[in-house]
Amino acid sequence: MEGRSRDGIRVAVLAGGFSSEREISLASGEHAMKAIREAGYGAVELLDPSAPGFLAAMEGGSWDVAFIALHGAGGEDGMIQHVLEYLGVPYTGSDAASSVCGADKELSKLLYERAGIPVAKGVALERGQGYDVPAIIEELGRDLFVKPAINGSSYGVSKVEDASQLPAAIERAFDFSDKVLIEQRLVGVEVSEGVLGGEDLTALPVVEIRCPADSEFYDLDVKYVDPTDIHRIPAELAADDYARVQELACRAHRALGCTGFSRSDFIVTDQGPVILETNTIPGMTETSLFPDELRHAGIAFSEACAQLIDIALDRAADVAER
């Protein structure tokens, strides 16, 4: 692809899929497709992996690169990455192994700890595994968050303030994943930090998430409203905490082996930032955090998409040379 102009590059934007985040993914895909066209690429089309004939549409050299705008299962868990590697189609974002690590919150926590990144105290449960509510409360306390270990966009997440609420919260999380994570509720300022780039990462402005008074946490009802109502950029943090969030987001990106971009979420406590999770394919809707951070950094979303495509093509070229 070296020396080829953008108008000669054919881009398949992958969005939709089978996950509970399908509608969000379609919105991300539409926003990305518009941006990629604005960046000057020739053929740009949105393809849905759940549609009949998807594999036939992807194989045979019809597309030079796939821009992945899939969220949740089938998109961020390594599945689509394996498929594209099998078909020989370059793709944006992290590879299959890194996607698996980022999608599994229990596994990612182990990698964070290995990289020296503070994490919340918690326990993981597998489907069918028994659990002892008093023992969990004794270990973690009564103020908890229960979440699917492999899912996104706050589906199946519950805030627990009493032991009596825990069993229902666990079962709700199991509706979305075969593994559930129970964590201590952290008190502090919720922030998110995106990073962009290849070997040299750019830490974007830290965004503070200000939930409405009637919302207990950053759930689905809050995530996709007007960002000017809930995103404060730059976040009002002490200078040390602000720099620490940016540094830890870059460290988390590298700890998981991410490529191109990622967005990590933190709670900034009195003892400093504690990581919650890393999104290997951040939301790309018009109201999502990552595009909002790009805007405040003075980076056009279209040029960020072009950078991700360049990284994908460079990676494919490096693999081909080995």
Side-chain angles (χ1 to χ4, degrees):
M1 306 303 294
E2 186 175 354
R4 190 169 185 176
S5 63
R6 289 182 182 177
D7 62 5
I9 297 175
R10 300 158 299 175
V11 184
V13 178
L14 307 188
F18 304 92
S19 83
S20 54
E21 300 178 68
R22 171 179 171 80
E23 295 305 317
I24 298 163
S25 170
L26 287 170
S28 285
E30 291 288 347
H31 191 213
M33 182 170 62
K34 179 182 176 182
I36 293 166
R37 286 173 175 164
E38 288 175 355
Y41 289 87
V44 184
E45 184 178 338
L46 191 148
L47 299 179
D48 185 344
S50 69
F54 168 73
L55 291 178
M58 288 304 301
E59 64 186 354
S62 299
W63 302 101
D64 296 309
V65 63
F67 188 98
I68 302 178
L70 295 162
H71 307 309
E76 289 181 89
D77 58 2
M79 181 185 295
I80 193 65
Q81 291 80 5
H82 278 303
V83 170
L84 294 171
E85 287 168 9
Y86 181 79
L87 296 175
V89 179
Y91 58 87
T92 58
S94 299
D95 64 15
S98 299
S99 298
V100 169
C101 292
D104 188 324
K105 295 180 177 67
E106 182 189 21
L107 178 55
S108 60
K109 284 183 72 171
L110 295 173
L111 293 172
Y112 296 149
E113 289 183 288
R114 183 177 177 182
I117 303 169
V119 300
K121 188 176 181 181
V123 296
L125 301 175
E126 301 278 353
R127 185 182 298 279
Q129 174 186 351
Y131 55 86
D132 185 335
V133 169
I136 293 172
I137 297 299
E138 182 178 356
E139 181 177 356
L140 302 179
R142 293 180 180 275
D143 288 335
L144 305 167
F145 271 104
V146 180
K147 61 187 76 172
I150 305 175
N151 205 50
S153 279
S154 300
Y155 287 98
V157 177
S158 299
K159 182 181 178 182
V160 170
E161 297 176 304
D162 186 84
S164 63
Q165 300 171 332
L166 187 55
I170 291 171
E171 294 310 311
R172 179 168 184 257
F174 273 130
D175 287 339
F176 295 88
S177 175
D178 289 332
K179 183 161 55 173
V180 166
L181 200 59
I182 306 169
E183 293 182 325
Q184 284 183 333
R185 183 171 73 88
L186 300 170
V187 177
V189 179
E190 186 168 359
V191 300
S192 190
E193 170 61 9
V195 299
L196 175 70
E199 292 184 7
D200 296 323
L201 293 178
T202 297
L204 300 176
V206 181
V207 54
E208 179 181 342
I209 299 165
R210 307 181 69 195
C211 291
D214 59 350
S215 297
E216 291 189 324
F217 61 95
Y218 192 51
D219 61 12
L220 280 169
D221 293 331
V222 179
K223 284 189 174 184
Y224 301 102
V225 301
D226 185 345
T228 60
D229 293 337
I230 59 171
H231 300 176
R232 176 189 283 168
I233 307 177
E236 291 187 1
L237 299 174
D240 288 349
D241 284 334
Y242 194 101
R244 179 70 168 159
V245 167
Q246 291 185 311
E247 185 262 326
L248 289 177
C250 291
R251 193 186 297 182
H253 180 96
R254 293 190 173 102
L256 298 178
C258 296
T259 302
F261 67 159
S262 68
R263 199 199 77 234
S264 293
D265 302 330
F266 299 85
I267 299 293
V268 181
T269 70
D270 290 342
Q271 288 74 44
V274 179
I275 196 166
L276 299 177
E277 64 178 346
T278 298
N279 297 271
T280 56
I281 304 178
M284 290 175 275
T285 73
E286 293 189 7
T287 62
S288 294
L289 289 163
F290 192 82
D292 207 11
E293 291 178 75
L294 289 169
R295 279 192 292 271
H296 284 78
I299 301 171
F301 184 55
S302 58
E303 287 308 307
C305 290
Q307 185 174 347
L308 293 173
I309 291 170
D310 286 341
I311 292 169
L313 294 173
D314 288 344
R315 175 174 60 188
D318 289 343
V319 171
E321 291 175 359
R322 293 174 189 169

